[in-house]
Amino acid sequence: MPFTKINNKMIEAKVFPGQRVFSQRGAMLAYTGEVTFTPNLMGGQGGALAMIGRRVANEDTPLMTVEGQGSVMFGHGGHNVHVIDLTGDTLYVEADRLLAFDGSLQQSTMFMGQQGGVMGIVRGQMTGQGLFTTKLDGQGSVAVMAHGGVIELPISPGQPVHVDPQAYVAHRGQVTNKLSSALGWRDMIGRGSGEAFQLELSGHGMVYVQASEVKL
């Protein structure tokens, strides 16, 4: 079910019988209709094994299951909200950036070494994003949070996109990422630009970048 943006910091989700929405606990702002909110002990989709994997990976952001019939308004912490509509492809995003997503989407946890090898692991450690990230597959809507709004940058074969690791929000598609260094002699003596490392994304897809270098 598509999410509708109310403003830059709030979305509305239509809930229908037999369908579910997952959201961060505490993200419900208001609702109309006959809607229930239940703490999700499994942390989303994927069952018990997926839950254990997310907890071990520290990607287990508390979720609640939203069911019934009505409209629910979501927002959290005054963060900007960006809606991403998946059409059978895959989104990679940090769990703490997830505001809400369709229950039709399959959720799992991915080891950073699977994207970018050793440099993928290094990237996770250096940016504070950890060794794992959340993966959402299928068809449905995802609402992610960011500081200062989000821009979408297309990634094409032979035309990689370079992003400040702290400004990275998420990416989708067949994309490989690695951390690249731009250290030079000026950085060594404290006269560099301060942009010593960039996240390089190559392949075919889209990267979502926030207008800030501040993590949530």
Side-chain angles (χ1 to χ4, degrees):
M1 64 196 74
F3 297 148
T4 303
K5 288 189 69 172
I6 300 173
N7 55 40
N8 288 336
K9 300 182 179 182
M10 296 174 61
I11 61 165
E12 179 183 20
K14 298 289 187 181
V15 184
F16 300 98
Q19 298 180 345
R20 296 180 297 176
V21 173
F22 293 110
S23 75
Q24 273 203 29
R25 293 186 196 176
M28 187 276 292
L29 301 175
Y31 74 92
T32 60
E34 299 296 324
V35 181
T36 61
F37 303 88
T38 308
N40 192 309
L41 300 179
M42 293 296 180
Q45 298 279 41
L49 289 178
M51 174 196 69
I52 294 172
R54 285 191 290 271
R55 288 186 176 177
V56 170
N58 197 29
E59 277 285 308
D60 188 39
T61 298
L63 297 176
M64 61 182 177
T65 303
V66 184
E67 297 177 290
Q69 184 166 6
S71 296
V72 185
M73 277 61 77
F74 293 109
H76 188 65
H79 298 305
N80 288 77
V81 179
H82 188 75
V83 176
I84 302 170
D85 293 316
L86 296 180
T87 56
D89 47 341
T90 301
L91 179 73
Y92 301 89
V93 60
E94 304 305 312
D96 59 0
R97 289 191 179 274
L98 283 174
L99 176 65
F101 60 95
D102 277 337
S104 59
L105 294 171
Q106 186 66 34
Q107 182 189 17
S108 60
T109 302
M110 189 196 74
F111 179 53
M112 289 299 295
Q114 291 178 237
Q115 283 208 336
V118 174
M119 289 307 293
I121 301 173
V122 174
R123 170 212 143 187
Q125 291 297 290
M126 294 194 65
T127 61
Q129 294 170 326
L131 296 177
F132 296 82
T133 194
T134 295
K135 179 181 175 184
L136 295 171
D137 297 279
Q139 187 163 344
S141 293
V142 184
V144 299
M145 296 179 290
H147 281 291
V150 171
I151 59 171
E152 302 179 357
L153 298 176
I155 304 167
S156 302
Q159 294 181 317
V161 176
H162 297 82
V163 177
D164 184 296
Q166 299 291 347
Y168 167 86
V169 174
H171 72 269
R172 68 194 291 181
Q174 302 298 315
V175 174
T176 300
N177 66 76
K178 67 178 182 179
L179 196 68
S180 59
S181 172
L183 283 173
W185 67 270
R186 289 181 178 273
D187 298 280
M188 300 302 181
I189 61 174
R191 298 180 61 186
S193 66
E195 306 294 340
F197 294 95
Q198 296 93 40
L199 184 62
E200 180 181 312
L201 299 105
S202 57
H204 183 75
M206 187 82 66
V207 60
Y208 301 87
V209 182
Q210 68 176 15
S212 170
E213 295 178 338
V214 179
K215 286 184 63 63
L216 296 183

